[in-house]
Amino acid sequence: NAGVTQTPKFQVLKTGQSMTLQCAQDMNHNSMYWYRQDPGMGLRLIYYSASEGTTDKGEVPNGYNVSRLNKREFSLRLESAAPSQTSVYFCASSFRTLVAYGYTFGSGTRLTVV
Amino acid sequence: AQSVTQPDIHITVSEGASLELRCNYSYGATPYLFWYVQSPGQGLQLLLKYFSGDTLVQGIKGFEAEFKRSQSSFNLRKPSVHWSDAAEYFCAVGAPGTASKLTFGTGTRLQVTL
């Protein structure tokens, strides 16, 4: 099925461990995004990639890195996980950065850092 | 920068009753406006969007929203709620332009009683 696929769906990390969240889309979209969702705070943008080969910081980039591996894939890396990074992470994509197109979201990765 | 406020954290309605979810935005001109719905454990699904033209916008699942420039509002409505509408609803705003990103509200959780 066409859409945005995120892996893994669930993950538990110990403080200080690292991991990479994977995201892939098969809609030939140019732009991709990583958001985190926390109770009472809505969705906050971590990083985005307007097109293949470019990445930029969003509202809450500290503690994260990203890689736009190719047009389809956009990964989010936590180098040294902290309890404050416990959250649900969503990847999204859009045809272009022009927001009129709206975003297509993946089903999320629920991350717990203990 | 744009911002969006959803003043109601939690709303409970009876099945068959009408629904209105409030959304207020802050932006100097006419923004792009969206409503997304998130079912438990799922990603966000686009309900409807507005960026120009008729101020009453029809979406999926029987939802509609009305853009009111004078009130900086984009409230979501449904004439008769179904139990399956129980979910979290997010309003989002984006500034017209190729480099803009969506900014999300904190969400309103809808509970439907039978």
Side-chain angles (χ1 to χ4, degrees), chain A residues 69-83:
Chain A
L69 305 171
N70 47 55
K71 189 172 185 178
R72 292 186 62 248
E73 299 173 287
F74 188 39
S75 63
L76 179 71
R77 182 161 178 84
L78 286 71
E79 291 291 352
S80 179

Side-chain angles (χ1 to χ4, degrees), chain A residues 1-78:
Chain A
N1 293 335
V4 179
T5 302
Q6 291 184 238
T7 56
K9 293 189 182 302
F10 301 94
Q11 184 72 48
V12 178
L13 289 179
K14 294 182 179 179
T15 298
Q17 286 185 317
S18 62
M19 79 161 295
T20 299
L21 282 64
Q22 307 287 351
C23 175
Q25 53 87 13
D26 58 5
M27 298 172 287
N28 201 33
H29 282 174
N30 295 293
S31 304
M32 299 185 73
Y33 312 83
W34 277 105
Y35 283 87
R36 61 178 288 173
Q37 183 182 26
D38 302 292
M41 303 191 74
L43 280 79
R44 293 180 292 168
L45 182 64
I46 305 171
Y47 271 94
Y48 67 99
S49 171
S51 60
E52 185 178 356
T54 69
T55 60
D56 285 286
K57 295 178 181 179
E59 182 184 355
V60 288
N62 292 344
Y64 305 96
N65 286 298
V66 291
S67 296
R68 183 74 182 266
L69 305 171
N70 47 55
K71 189 172 185 178
R72 292 186 62 248
E73 299 173 287
F74 188 39
S75 63
L76 179 71
R77 182 161 178 84
L78 286 71

